[in-house]
Amino acid sequence: NTTVGFVRFNDEGEIEYIFVNPIFRKNGLAKKMLKLVKNKTKKKIVFQKPISPLGSKLMKSIDKL
């Protein structure tokens, strides 16, 4: 048993934490989880400030989309 990934969010659509196991990265799992959050909250997704260097790198790549 292993965790593939998870996302923690609040009712306002703020993403508090998102994680994808390194073995399963680059398969679109984070995007799928973000779509689930958006569908569940019916709100625009807002990211809280990243707490890790990898999170900061992800935010820069999202800004380019």
Side-chain angles (χ1 to χ4, degrees), residues 18-54:
I18 188 166
F19 168 80
V20 176
N21 185 316
I23 297 169
F24 299 98
R25 290 182 184 162
K26 302 289 184 180
N27 291 309
L29 295 173
K31 287 180 184 179
K32 289 178 184 177
M33 289 190 289
L34 294 175
K35 285 181 184 180
L36 288 171
V37 170
K38 188 173 184 177
N39 290 337
K40 184 169 177 69
T41 62
K42 306 291 190 228
K43 307 267 183 173
K44 180 181 177 185
I45 292 176
V46 176
F47 292 93
Q48 293 184 349
K49 184 178 177 182
I51 59 171
S52 72
L54 185 58

Side-chain angles (χ1 to χ4, degrees), residues 15 17 21 55 60 65:
I15 303 299
Y17 193 85
N21 185 316
K60 288 177 185 174
L65 296 177

